[in-house]
Amino acid sequence: MTTVGIICEYNPFHNGHKKQFDMLRRQLGEETRIICLMSGSFVQRGEPALYDKYVRAKAAVLCGANLVLELPITSAISSAEGFAQGAVSILNQLGGVDYLCFGSENGNLPAIVRTAEVLLSPEFKAAMLEQTEKNVSYASARQKALSSLSPDSSLLSAPNDILAVEYCKALRLQKSLIRPLLVRREGSYLADHPDASNPSAMSLRALDREVLCDYVPAEAFSLYQTAPTYRMEYGERAVLARLRTMSEEDFAALPYGNEGLWRRFMHASRQAVSVKDLIERTKSKRYAYTRICRMLLCAYLGITKEQLSVQSGYVRILSADPFGTALLREFRNNDSVKLVNAGQTPENEEYYALECRCAELYSLLCEPGRQPETQPEQKGRIFLKKM
């Protein structure tokens, strides 16, 4: 029986994701088991997930996933490279995963694989060093370095292509037996207006929940109708209050703050009157928008550069159907990964304290007038515990 892993956020789950499930089972067989490794309360763009992770996980299972596991917070809010490396490592440790399925705007798997190989080569490292000495942004330096070595440099310009390359890099670096399986991403990931069959999650997050029915499966829509939403602006007073109490040493310890960004961010945080204003005061051509958002999120959550590189040592179970439950029994025979049920206290107490703190702070970003969901890992914990 074939098992496929999907690294995802489902922010929110929509018709395009359901199409991917259907395509996999048409191509690999109706009995194909689908494991989703999903970001939890916060996502890679440096934002809170629109819906609670248990709501999103249940939506995925109702729409065809067999098992949803949580990608730990320190991988979920890392750069594309760290996000891919952390996720692929977990899928490897589970054992028994045959394919890693991912989307790509380009749709050319050989080109994706070639690009990953170039990025891992000594020649690229030398070219990258030459470009960074020209005082340009990291993204620009990488693009120019790749252009000097490969005709496929355009693959580092589209969001899903970038992640696809990073997944292939991670598979190669970790000597994984998991095979890449590419799905062409139809429609625009960054579209402002959603397409019914190929909507972008970004466009759906801007819509009122009442009109989501045209873009998400009915099973997911029924959950979204009653679930509270979470956005950074809903809790921006708490976010700004946290930043105003940080010392210069705290800002210097933040991830993504090199090249002088942390100092620029610090000065902006002491003047900004909103999260949007803070980002506007900080951004420039040199610094990517998502990099600033991830640094802002880490500041709010109290995550330092050192903590972002720490691995959890366990994986939280979010949702499963009967086939997923059978998969869990198989995985529990593997000593290389610890699976944790909802409400269960893992052995890594320090990481668990970080996870609980992030869950509590997520609850402060709940939409006004709605009761935030209480996540099982929050119970009996105090989020202000010193890390």
Side-chain angles (χ1 to χ4, degrees), residues 170-381:
L171 290 171
R172 185 176 178 86
L173 279 172
Q174 298 177 31
K175 298 180 173 58
S176 177
L177 297 178
I178 299 173
R179 289 165 283 179
L181 179 60
L182 185 145
V183 176
R184 185 177 181 85
R185 175 56 165 96
E186 299 176 355
S188 173
Y189 176 84
L190 300 175
D192 293 327
H193 302 288
D195 174 82
S197 57
N198 299 294
S200 73
M202 179 180 292
S203 65
L204 297 186
R205 292 193 293 273
L207 297 179
D208 292 334
R209 75 178 78 224
E210 291 77 13
V211 298
L212 284 177
C213 58
D214 292 333
Y215 309 104
V216 304
E219 298 90 341
F221 181 68
S222 65
L223 296 175
Y224 300 157
Q225 279 291 88
T226 57
T229 57
Y230 296 78
R231 300 182 191 272
M232 191 69 82
E233 55 265 35
Y234 292 157
E236 65 184 359
R237 301 299 292 176
V239 175
L240 293 175
R242 159 65 181 157
L243 297 179
R244 294 288 179 92
T245 62
M246 289 173 60
S247 67
E248 184 169 326
E249 291 74 20
D250 292 332
F251 281 101
L254 289 175
Y256 313 112
N258 56 333
E259 301 173 333
L261 180 56
W262 72 265
R263 192 176 298 277
R264 183 183 179 95
F265 178 69
M266 177 182 69
H267 292 313
S269 70
R270 292 171 178 172
Q271 301 170 355
V273 296
S274 67
V275 168
K276 182 178 179 180
D277 183 34
L278 172 58
I279 294 172
E280 289 293 323
R281 288 174 182 270
T282 307
K283 75 176 186 179
S284 71
K285 292 182 179 179
R286 183 177 176 82
Y287 306 119
Y289 173 85
T290 51
R291 175 178 168 184
I292 296 170
C293 290
R294 285 196 293 270
M295 185 167 64
L296 169 60
L297 181 58
C298 287
Y300 175 58
L301 299 177
I303 295 177
T304 66
K305 284 180 284 192
E306 290 74 18
Q307 289 170 339
L308 193 65
S309 64
V310 172
Q311 300 300 308
S312 65
Y314 61 88
V315 180
R316 188 170 292 282
I317 302 164
L318 297 181
S319 189
D321 71 359
F323 294 103
T325 302
L327 269 171
L328 288 172
R329 288 194 291 270
E330 295 178 21
F331 294 152
R332 283 198 166 102
N333 293 327
N334 186 345
D335 294 333
S336 60
V337 62
K338 176 67 175 178
L339 295 170
V340 176
N341 292 311
Q344 182 181 355
T345 302
E347 295 178 359
N348 188 340
E349 292 186 1
E350 187 173 12
Y351 198 96
Y352 181 50
L354 170 62
E355 184 184 32
C356 292
R357 185 174 77 225
C358 292
E360 292 281 5
L361 291 172
Y362 178 70
S363 71
L364 296 180
L365 307 179
C366 186
E367 67 181 291
R370 300 295 296 269
Q371 182 68 30
E373 299 284 348
T374 299
Q375 298 176 3
E377 60 268 27
Q378 291 175 255
K379 296 177 181 178
R381 305 294 296 194

